[in-house]
Amino acid sequence: MITHDEAFYAILEAKYARIISALAELHSISTEDAMDMFYNSQTSQLIEEGVSDLHCRSDKYLAEEIWQEHTEKQQQSNG
């Protein structure tokens, strides 16, 4: 199991903030809505777990992945 130090988590938290900001900006939603979408996404869980080095992807790419995930969830619950 890989252990990380405080610096790693500080960098990851900064990454989360940039993804949330990009999500809000790209889709004209509030920061609060973007934050809720981010923290309730499977993608954020995968980033935290270090799956496929997702944290290395661009903030906008990850914001779009989270938006797509959210859109698919909404379509499934409505249809």
Side-chain angles (χ1 to χ4, degrees):
M1 180 176 171
I2 299 173
T3 59
H4 299 288
D5 60 13
E6 289 181 30
F8 174 82
Y9 290 109
I11 291 167
L12 201 55
E13 288 296 323
K15 178 81 171 172
Y16 294 168
R18 291 191 310 270
I19 294 167
I20 291 165
S21 179
L23 190 55
E25 184 179 314
L26 290 168
H27 297 286
S28 301
I29 60 174
S30 70
T31 302
E32 291 80 12
D33 287 342
M35 189 179 298
D36 185 56
M37 197 179 298
F38 175 80
Y39 284 109
N40 288 301
S41 71
Q42 181 67 32
T43 303
S44 71
Q45 186 66 36
L46 295 173
I47 295 168
E48 186 172 336
E49 292 171 2
V51 173
S52 299
D53 289 331
L54 285 174
H55 64 281
C56 296
R57 304 281 178 138
S58 76
D59 302 332
K60 287 183 180 181
Y61 172 85
L62 293 168
E64 289 299 333
E65 285 294 310
I66 291 165
W67 181 261
Q68 182 67 30
E69 180 183 334
H70 175 74
T71 302
E72 289 172 4
K73 280 182 190 176
Q74 283 191 323
Q75 289 173 347
Q76 288 174 356
S77 67
N78 292 333

